[in-house]
Structures are given as structure tokens and as C-alpha cells.
């Protein structure tokens, strides 16, 4: 994509566009879905949705993946007791989804599994069904966390990170 067209596309969208794509009711449903998932495993799921990349990223032609890795750190997803936090990142300007998992889970899930998970959600995002795509992502990540980090009988997830989506 032409650098100028990309710049315009990202600068045209802002937080209002994010709020239109995911209204307060959708954000509340996503928050509840994360909370429900985390009752089944010891992992932590964070959802981050941004309208466009910051200008500094666009100037150096950075990717959605680079931004997702940065947000993984900024939102402290790496800072969980079992190193099993997962960031689900959606960039509206490019309808791009990125999943960044901490080493505790990433070491147990193949790159093919991650690619298949992301590919499964791509159709929903391309069609503008953002809540549906994020629901699929939360469910798929929750399944992996439940498989690799299930809670034992009577054990509870201490909820180390907020369940509400981060909107930027």
C-alpha cells in the first residue's frame, strides 16, 4: 500500500470510530466473555482495539504486529505469575488482528495453531463484524489456556489484569 494512502487511512480514524465499531454494550459483553473464560484457566486475556497506528509508527512504516508487541508491554500482559497472558489486538484501519502470547503459553502452541486461529477470525473483521471476531478470538484463546493451564478443583484465577477491553 502506498505510504501516503496508509497514513491517511490511519489518521482518518480515531477513538470515535472505535466506539462506533464497539459500542458500550459490546464492550461490556466482551469484558464479561473474558471474565467467564478466566474462570476456567489461570491465564489472563487482554483485548486491545485501536482505530489507527500512532504517527510515529506510520513514519517508520511499522506493522500492526509491532504495535501489538508494544501494547503487550504497555498493558503489562507479560506480568502474570504463570507467564500465560495473551493480548488480542485489533487494528481497525487495517482490519488486522494480532495475538501476542507470553512465553508460558507461546512455548506450548505452534506457530501454525496461532496462524489458524487468526485466519479463522479474519473474515469477521473484514466484514466489519468486530464483536463477533473478538468473541471468536477470546473463545479460541480461552480454549488454549484451558487446555494448557486449567484450574484445579476449587482453585480460582486471581484476575491479575483488567477484563475490560482497552480502547485507543
Amino acid at each position: 500500500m502506498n505510504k501516503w494512502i496508509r497514513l491517511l487511512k490511519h489518521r482518518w480514524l480515531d477513538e470515535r470510530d472505535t466506539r462506533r465499531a464497539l459500542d458500550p454494550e459490546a464492550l461490556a459483553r466482551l469484558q464479561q466473555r473474558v471474565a467467564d473464560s478466566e474462570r476456567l484457566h489461570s491465564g489472563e486475556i487482554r483485548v486491545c482495539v485501536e482505530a489507527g497506528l500512532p504517527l510515529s509508527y506510520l513514519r517508520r512504516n511499522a506493522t500492526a504486529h509491532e504495535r501489538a508487541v508494544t501494547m503487550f508491554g504497555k498493558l503489562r500482559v507479560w506480568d502474570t505469575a504463570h507467564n500465560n497472558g495473551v493480548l488480542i489486538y485489533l487494528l481497525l484501519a487495517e482490519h488486522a488482528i494480532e495475538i501476542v502470547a507470553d512465553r508460558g503459553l507461546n512455548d506450548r502452541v505452534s506457530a501454525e495453531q496461532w496462524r489458524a486461529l487468526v485466519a479463522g477470525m479474519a473474515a469477521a473483521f473484514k466484514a466489519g463484524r468486530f464483536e463477533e471476531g473478538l468473541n471468536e478470538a477470546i473463545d479460541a484463546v480461552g480454549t488454549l489456556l484451558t487446555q494448557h493451564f486449567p484450574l484445579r478443583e476449587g482453585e480460582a484465577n486471581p484476575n491479575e489484569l483488567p477484563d475490560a477491553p482497552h480502547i485507543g
Side-chain angles (χ1 to χ4, degrees), residues 48 50 52-53 64 67-68 71 87-91 96-99:
C48 177
E50 293 188 308
L53 292 173
R67 180 64 177 172
M71 294 309 293
L87 176 70
I88 300 169
Y89 177 82
L90 173 61
L91 180 61
I97 180 136
E98 294 289 333
I99 297 180

Side-chain angles (χ1 to χ4, degrees), residues 76-162:
R76 301 185 58 86
V77 181
W78 58 269
D79 194 18
T80 61
H82 301 290
N83 297 311
N84 59 356
V86 179
L87 176 70
I88 300 169
Y89 177 82
L90 173 61
L91 180 61
L92 293 176
E94 296 181 4
H95 292 181
I97 180 136
E98 294 289 333
I99 297 180
V100 182
D102 205 348
R103 64 187 172 275
L105 181 62
N106 203 42
D107 290 347
R108 299 170 189 216
V109 178
S110 72
E112 279 181 22
Q113 286 176 286
W114 289 123
R115 277 192 295 276
L117 191 150
V118 170
M121 296 171 283
F125 293 130
K126 287 192 188 322
R129 297 186 320 268
F130 302 110
E131 182 180 3
E132 179 184 321
L134 288 169
N135 283 334
E136 290 175 27
I138 293 165
D139 292 348
V141 168
T143 298
L144 289 171
L145 285 164
T146 301
Q147 178 185 349
H148 296 289
F149 295 95
L151 291 176
R152 292 184 286 272
E153 186 72 31
E155 185 179 20
N157 185 334
N159 203 22
E160 301 169 84
L161 300 173

